[in-house]
């Protein structure tokens, strides 16, 4: 596990509600990925070129998301729209 951002200026973040990132994981596939353990992520992705998905395609997307839920991530919320998807999840 790689170390993340350090608070070099020793600033007190306790009153703001924000805490400096102490560690995160990085890995590469097609793009670099950054992950902070225990964090919740809001993810949005769109269909290629904004193409409107058919009901069958939306079902396929939802089925794929649900297949990986509990295996790769804990899924808190998901919505599949006509040309984009929103997810709220926590990686396992």
């Amino acid at each position: 596990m790689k170390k993340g951002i350090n608070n070099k200026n020793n600033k007190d973040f306790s009153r703001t509600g924000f805490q400096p990132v102490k560690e995160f994981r990085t890995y590469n596939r097609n793009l670099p990925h950054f992950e902070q353990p225990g964090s919740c992520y809001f993810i949005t992705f769109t269909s290629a070129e904004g193409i409107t998905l058919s009901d069958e395609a939306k079902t396929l997307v939802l089925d794929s998301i649900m297949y990986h839920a509990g295996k790769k991530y804990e899924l808190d919320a998901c919505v599949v729209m006509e040309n984009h998807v929103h997810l709220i999840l926590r990686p396992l």
Side-chain angles (χ1 to χ4, degrees):
M1 196 149 332
K2 295 183 180 181
K3 292 291 181 186
I5 301 169
N6 292 320
N7 184 10
K8 294 180 182 177
N9 298 328
N10 296 321
K11 292 183 181 178
D12 179 13
F13 290 96
S14 61
R15 287 182 254 150
T16 64
F18 293 103
Q19 298 298 317
V21 175
K22 294 194 170 124
E23 66 179 76
F24 60 87
R25 297 185 293 206
T26 62
Y27 54 96
N28 287 300
R29 285 190 229 153
N30 295 331
L31 298 171
H33 293 72
F34 300 92
E35 182 180 306
Q36 185 178 357
S39 293
C40 185
Y41 293 88
F42 179 84
I43 300 168
T44 298
F45 59 92
T46 61
S47 59
E49 299 176 14
I51 295 170
T52 300
L53 299 174
S54 66
D55 287 342
E56 183 179 334
K58 289 189 279 187
T59 300
L60 180 63
V61 170
L62 181 60
D63 288 348
S64 297
I65 292 166
M66 296 308 295
Y67 175 80
H68 292 290
K71 298 174 187 170
K72 294 187 175 190
Y73 45 78
E74 184 175 329
L75 184 65
D76 291 326
C78 171
V79 62
V80 180
M81 307 296 282
E82 288 185 347
N83 64 356
H84 67 284
V85 176
H86 298 290
L87 302 167
I88 299 175
L89 57 82
R90 282 173 273 161
L92 296 176

